[in-house]
Amino acid sequence: MEAKKDILLDVNEVPKPFQWFSLSIQHLFAMFGSTVLVPFFVGLSPGVALVSSGLGTLSYLLITKGQIPAYLGSSFAFITPILIVKGGGGPGEAMIGCFFAGLLYGIIALIIKKAGIRWLMSLLPPVVVGPVIIVIGLSLAGTAVNMAMYEDPYAETLVYSTTHIMIALLTLGVTIFCNMFLKGFLGLIPILLGIFAGYAASAAAGLIDFTPIKEASWIELPPFIFPFVDYTPTISGGVLAIMLPVAIVTLSEHIGHQMILSNVVGRNFLEKPGLHRSIMGDGAGIMIGSLIGGPPLTSYGENIGVLTITKAYSVYIIGGAAAAAIIFGFVGKVSAVIHSIPHAVMGGISILLFGIIASSGLRMLVENKVDFAEKRNLIIVSVILVIGIGGAYVQLNNDIQLSGMALAAIIGIALNLILPNREKSE
C-alpha cells in the first residue's frame, strides 16, 4: 500500500496536548451514540458498556502492538442472541456466552496465524455472510417499530401513541437530514444529533422524568456484573449454540474493516501486525467486557470515518478516546441521562440503524457480484433469509436449541459446502 503524504499525524506520532484532547473527544462522540444503544436494547448498563468499550480498545491497541488505530464499540449483531440468552438464564449466562464468543475469536486468530486466511474466506463467502447480516437487521425490525409506536413497547397490552410515533419520526428525520447534508465531523455523528433532537421534543411533550438525573451522583460506580460474585458461571450448550455462530459471521465484518483501515491509513494491516493480531484484539476486548457485564465489541466504521476526515491516525488519539470513555462510564449523571431517553427516540433511531444493518448485507451481495442466475446462490440466500427471519428453530435436546440467525448461519455454511458448482459460483 502507498503511504499517505497529506497526513496530520502518523500511527505512532504523539499529538500535542490540545490536539490530543480535541481529536480524542471527536472519536468519543463518534462512537457514543451506537455504543450506548446496544446496552439500552438488551437491558445492560450504558456506563458499564462505556467502560467495557474503553478497556477493550486499550487491550486491542496493546495486542496489535500499537499499530492499528481502531476503536471498539458495542456490536449490534449480538443484540438478539443476548436478549434470548438473558431472557432464559439472566445476564450472567449472557456474559458467559459473550466470553466464549471472544474465546472463539482467539482460537480462529491462532488458526489464521498458522494456516492463513483462505480457509475462513472459503467458509464464509459473501453469498453466506450477506444474507445472514440481512437477517440480523430485519430480525430487529419489530423491536424498532414497537418502540416507535407504543407508549410502553414491553407492556402486555400495547397502547398506540400518536405523540410517540411523531417523536420517533422527528428523530428519524433529523438523523437522516444530518447524515445526508451535514459535512465534516457533524456528518459523522447523525445518530447523536438525532437523539438530541428527539430528546428535546420529548422534553417539550412532557415524556421525560428529570428526577433520576437530578438525584444521580456525578461520580458513581457502574453496576458491573462479575463472575463468582454476581453469578456462578456455567457452560451451557444452548447458549454456545446461540452465540458462537454469530461470532463467526461478525469476523467477516472485522476483515472488511481492516481492509478499509488499511486503505485509509496507507498500510497493510492484514500483513503487519497481521490479521491474527487484530482478531485476537477484538476477541480479548469481548472477553474483558464480558467479565464486567459489557456487550461484545467490534471495530467502528464511525471512527474510521473520523480518521478519514482528520487524517490523524495516531493510536495515542484512539487511546485518549478509550480513556475518556472509561471516565464517562463512572459519571452517574451520564448514565441517568441515557436511561431517561424515551423509547420513541430510540425507536426512531433504530428504524434507520437496523435497516442499515440489513442494507449492508444486501450491499455485500451487490459489491461482490453474487450471481443469482446461479441456482446454488439463489437457494443459499433464500433458505438463510426465511429460516433466519421466520424464527425457525431445531430443538436438539432440553438444553440446546438452534434458532434464528444461528440456525440460518449454520445451514447457510453447510449449503455452501455441499451444493455443486461452488467454484463456478465464486
Side-chain angles (χ1 to χ4, degrees), residues 70-314:
Y71 192 93
L72 304 186
S74 306
S75 173
F76 282 83
F78 285 88
I79 290 177
T80 300
I82 290 176
L83 286 174
I84 293 172
V85 175
K86 189 167 173 280
E93 195 158 306
M95 290 304 102
I96 291 299
C98 294
F99 180 87
F100 276 92
L103 185 63
L104 180 61
Y105 268 67
I107 293 171
I108 290 176
L110 293 175
I111 296 174
I112 288 175
K113 183 179 181 181
K114 294 293 184 182
I117 193 176
R118 179 180 290 271
W119 67 274
L120 183 60
M121 302 306 290
S122 178
L123 192 68
L124 297 172
V127 71
V128 173
V129 176
V132 171
I133 293 175
I134 294 174
V135 167
I136 290 172
L138 294 185
S139 65
L140 295 166
T143 300
V145 171
N146 284 356
M147 292 177 74
M149 288 177 55
Y150 301 116
E151 289 183 2
D152 182 358
Y154 305 112
E156 290 186 12
T157 303
L158 297 175
V159 179
Y160 174 81
S161 168
T162 303
T163 302
H164 284 70
I165 189 65
M166 294 308 295
I167 288 174
L169 291 176
L170 170 69
T171 304
L172 174 62
V174 171
T175 306
I176 292 173
F177 176 85
C178 294
N179 189 51
M180 289 294 298
F181 299 107
L182 295 187
K183 305 297 180 183
F185 174 68
L186 289 178
L188 292 169
I189 56 170
I191 294 172
L192 207 57
L193 296 176
I195 290 175
F196 286 156
Y199 195 85
S202 299
L207 297 182
I208 301 175
D209 180 10
F210 291 100
T211 304
I213 300 175
K214 295 175 183 177
E215 294 177 350
S217 304
W218 279 103
I219 304 300
E220 191 174 280
L221 187 68
F224 295 114
I225 303 173
F226 296 111
F228 301 107
V229 176
D230 299 297
Y231 64 93
T232 302
T234 56
I235 301 175
S236 165
V239 172
L240 298 183
I242 293 170
M243 287 288 192
L244 298 189
V246 183
I248 293 174
V249 173
T250 55
L251 282 169
S252 64
E253 177 188 32
H254 174 92
I255 295 169
H257 280 171
Q258 291 306 306
M259 290 177 175
I260 296 170
L261 260 176
S262 296
N263 184 57
V264 168
V265 179
R267 301 187 182 193
N268 192 339
F269 294 132
L270 275 68
E271 290 187 1
K272 184 181 179 183
L275 184 63
H276 64 285
R277 280 192 174 273
S278 64
I279 291 176
M280 182 71 77
D282 257 22
I286 292 173
M287 287 190 284
I288 290 171
S290 68
L291 293 176
I292 63 173
L297 305 174
T298 184
S299 54
Y300 260 24
E302 293 93 328
N303 295 90
I304 296 175
V306 174
L307 292 174
T308 304
I309 286 180
T310 62
K311 301 189 185 303
Y313 309 135
S314 172

Side-chain angles (χ1 to χ4, degrees), residues 34-46:
S34 296
T35 292
V36 300
L37 272 178
V38 174
F40 187 95
F41 288 130
V42 300
L44 297 175
S45 165

Side-chain angles (χ1 to χ4, degrees), residues 38-62:
V38 174
F40 187 95
F41 288 130
V42 300
L44 297 175
S45 165
V48 174
L50 287 171
V51 175
S52 169
S53 171
L55 292 176
T57 299
L58 292 176
S59 69
Y60 178 93
L61 295 177
L62 183 65

